[in-house]
Amino acid sequence: MVLTRTSRSATADARASRMESLDIEALYRRYGDLVQGRCRSLLRSEQDAAEATQEVFLRLWRYRDSFRGEASPTTWLFKITTSTCLNRLRTRRRHPEELVDETPQLAGPRDALVSEIEARQLLNLLVEEEDERTRAALVYHHIDGMTHDEVGEMLGISGAAVRKRIAVFREKVRGRLPGLEGS
Amino acid sequence: MSHLNTLVLHQLRYGELRGDALLRANEHLAACETCSSRLRAQEAERAAFVAAPVPDAIRAIGATAAPVRSWWRDWLPLAGALLAAASLSLVVREVRTDGVTSPEVATARPKGELPAVEVWVKRPEGTRPLREGEPVGSGDRIQLVYDPHGASAIALAGRDGSGRIEVYTTNAPTGIGLVRAPFALTLDDTPGSQELFVVGSDRALSEDEVKEAVAGAVHGARVGHVVLRKREGGGRR
């Protein structure tokens, strides 16, 4: 079999060789917690997380030839899982009849509660308006705590481009949600 | 203090950090209770996960899904003759009801840039890929998953046993890799096969253009196609 490789270390080759013998159950046992935890954290629905986990492992299994060549399997899975979850969130938004009620149980006066929920919904809508890369950049930067350069590496763009995308989004939020300014 | 990002914590747990990166991470953890606590939370999640059984749906993947990259690479050396001979059978791979089961997902994996299509079935026991040869029945909820292969616009359509073409959407999500259709279809009791189409194009097509593309007129469209055959008697298994 001909494999196209750009750069692979001896460690990656050894890892790839070990993975030749892995089956889907072994892969799930090794990496399932990463995928499942990520899905739960982004989707906040047990059923969605279970389905998304299944979807990620199907993709892993189908593309296992390229997965074997990865220097960092966790990075590959982290990206694929994030992309899968963002697709699901977008689908959920477009088909609200299938939405799971996940209204957060917040303490505080009713007016403040309604206002916070509305603000979150609007923030979600604003995120949904963004393209796939910007949404991923927002998640990597604001939820995962990656620097602009680290996000750029994940997305295959420069750190400066990431900074610009996030700045444009923040400007948009400031215009529509002044109460969230600085958050 | 800049904290360790989530991925670095995973990489640390999985032994993927080396050299300076590993040193920096360990030094940070020694001084940062927030990140130590996040790492402990990941480890606790891991411990709970290891104790749980592997879901049947995951086991089923190993028995059903063939590796994509090997598939075309294995065939590449014979491309000229084989692609010509196989082009028709690649465009449509039928889900049969004749009881002959093949250990592959019910999927159309067309050559070239045609969108690839997978079919998942939602049943009370869970959602999982539909196996080739596995029958479907009225009441089954069908979830399409497709790879747009670079198409700028995707439309989804179906043709039931009576030959009626229905365009479900002219604006389905595109993206890199596998994308879920934005809805599930519930099969009705119309007799005969149910065909599903994923139509990829470089511009958004109108409903009429999608119908024409499904019927065979091209309109610059690339059509991925899968046929579901309903079981005799129609109902859910």
Side-chain angles (χ1 to χ4, degrees), chain B residues 58-142:
Chain B
I58 296 293
R59 286 204 178 93
I61 290 172
T64 59
V68 168
R69 296 174 69 83
S70 300
W71 183 88
W72 65 265
R73 279 187 175 134
D74 290 347
W75 284 87
L76 198 58
L78 305 170
L82 287 177
L83 279 182
S87 58
L88 282 176
S89 62
L90 286 172
V91 171
V92 180
R93 183 182 296 176
E94 291 189 349
V95 180
R96 298 184 301 268
T97 56
D98 55 9
V100 179
T101 55
S102 159
E104 294 203 4
V105 180
T107 177
R109 177 66 57 182
K111 70 185 176 68
E113 295 296 309
L114 299 181
V117 188
E118 288 176 3
V119 178
W120 289 49
V121 60
K122 289 184 169 183
R123 288 182 174 143
E125 63 270 25
T127 304
R128 57 172 180 73
L130 189 70
R131 298 181 192 96
E132 189 167 324
E134 182 178 358
V136 292
S138 65
D140 277 338
R141 299 195 74 205
I142 299 296

Side-chain angles (χ1 to χ4, degrees), chain A residues 58-127:
Chain A
L58 180 68
R59 289 169 78 168
L60 187 163
W61 194 240
R62 293 185 71 86
Y63 295 93
R64 60 186 181 270
D65 284 353
S66 60
F67 182 71
R68 283 183 185 123
E70 287 294 320
S72 169
T74 58
T75 305
W76 191 94
L77 278 170
F78 202 72
K79 280 191 220 176
I80 296 290
T81 307
T82 303
S83 155
T84 301
C85 291
L86 288 175
N87 276 336
R88 281 184 168 256
L89 286 170
R90 185 175 50 186
T91 301
R92 216 196 260 177
R93 176 68 52 195
R94 287 180 179 176
H95 294 269
E97 70 277 10
E98 293 192 358
L99 270 177
V100 178
D101 182 9
E102 290 161 3
T103 307
Q105 299 299 307
L106 303 174
R110 178 170 165 70
D111 286 351
L113 178 69
V114 170
S115 155
E116 179 162 354
I117 290 172
E118 283 174 352
R120 283 186 190 201
Q121 287 172 341
L122 183 51
L123 186 60
N124 284 339
L125 283 175
L126 289 172
V127 171

Side-chain angles (χ1 to χ4, degrees), chain A residues 25 28-30 32-33 37 51 54-55 58 61-62 64-65 72-75 88 95 98 144 150, chain B residues 5-6 11 13-14 16 45-46 49 54 59 65 67-68 70 109 118 120 127-128 141 178 180 182:
Chain A
E25 285 188 48
Y28 179 78
R29 288 199 178 283
R30 181 161 174 73
D33 60 312
E51 288 183 11
Q54 199 180 335
E55 197 174 324
L58 180 68
W61 194 240
R62 293 185 71 86
R64 60 186 181 270
D65 284 353
S72 169
T74 58
T75 305
R88 281 184 168 256
H95 294 269
E98 293 192 358
D144 299 316
E150 287 167 341
Chain B
N5 72 52
T6 311
Q11 288 172 325
R13 281 195 306 119
Y14 280 93
E16 288 183 5
E45 193 162 21
R46 170 79 189 164
F49 172 84
V54 176
R59 286 204 178 93
V68 168
S70 300
R109 177 66 57 182
E118 288 176 3
W120 289 49
T127 304
R128 57 172 180 73
R141 299 195 74 205
L178 292 174
R180 243 171 117 239

